[in-house]
Amino acid sequence: MADHLEASVTLPSEPASVSAARTYVLSTLAEWGLPPTTDAAETVRLIVSELATNAVQHTFGQSPTFTVDIELDRDEQLRIGVTDSHPRFPKRLPAAVQQDNGRGMVIIRWLAAESGGRLRVRPTREGGKTVSIELPWRVPAEPVTAAGQQEP
């Protein structure tokens, strides 16, 4: 595989784009060697879903689009970033028992850490922000079946 692979897609900030972002990322990673039926792919699916949902819901119409960037360096480090043009950074909210939202960043941070990665939030030159995760790239040595069992 190449030393560096990257892909990017810009989507409208609307609810249907969350599914499109997940599909784009998972199909790209499948092309790069990560089968969609693995635990790693499921973790990425959840993270992308939360990142894209945040870009749609928490920009308050001030970011008409968001961009998903994927980078794979030397078959070792995967980076997925979601960039929007809203200047406000995500905030940690208390996880009140009856609170229906506000846990997205907690979920993303936990999933990234559980996978040996980390979460970063950086401002963009244009005044927005990029929320990204960096994960170790781990592709299973053997194909995984639909039932989740490795083939012999």
Side-chain angles (χ1 to χ4, degrees):
M1 185 171 276
D3 266 357
H4 183 83
L5 295 172
E6 58 183 58
S8 181
V9 64
T10 298
L11 300 164
S13 289
E14 55 190 43
S17 294
V18 174
S19 175
R22 282 193 308 260
T23 300
Y24 178 79
V25 169
L26 290 177
S27 64
T28 300
L29 295 183
E31 289 175 16
W32 294 353
L34 182 66
T37 56
T38 62
D39 287 343
E42 179 63 15
T43 296
V44 167
R45 185 188 72 75
L46 290 169
I47 289 171
V48 169
S49 184
E50 291 295 333
L51 289 174
T53 297
N54 285 352
V56 170
Q57 288 185 346
H58 300 295
T59 58
F60 306 105
Q62 294 181 25
S63 182
T65 62
F66 66 93
T67 301
V68 180
D69 295 302
I70 313 166
E71 296 178 26
L72 178 59
D73 286 319
R74 295 181 197 84
D75 284 345
E76 295 174 1
Q77 187 77 21
L78 174 67
R79 183 188 158 280
I80 301 171
V82 174
T83 302
D84 63 58
S85 57
H86 193 281
R88 190 181 77 180
F89 275 42
K91 295 179 182 177
R92 284 192 198 203
L93 300 175
V97 174
Q98 295 179 342
Q99 187 173 328
D100 290 335
N101 59 21
R103 294 186 186 96
M105 294 302 289
V106 173
I107 292 168
I108 295 165
R109 184 174 274 107
W110 184 83
L111 288 169
E114 183 182 66
S115 299
R118 66 182 182 154
L119 170 74
R120 293 179 55 175
V121 182
R122 298 181 317 268
T124 64
R125 288 184 201 146
E126 297 79 24
K129 67 188 163 302
T130 299
V131 182
S132 62
I133 53 124
E134 296 172 359
L135 301 171
W137 178 253
R138 295 186 185 112
V139 176
E142 298 182 22
V144 177
T145 66
Q149 302 295 319
Q150 285 195 335
E151 294 179 357

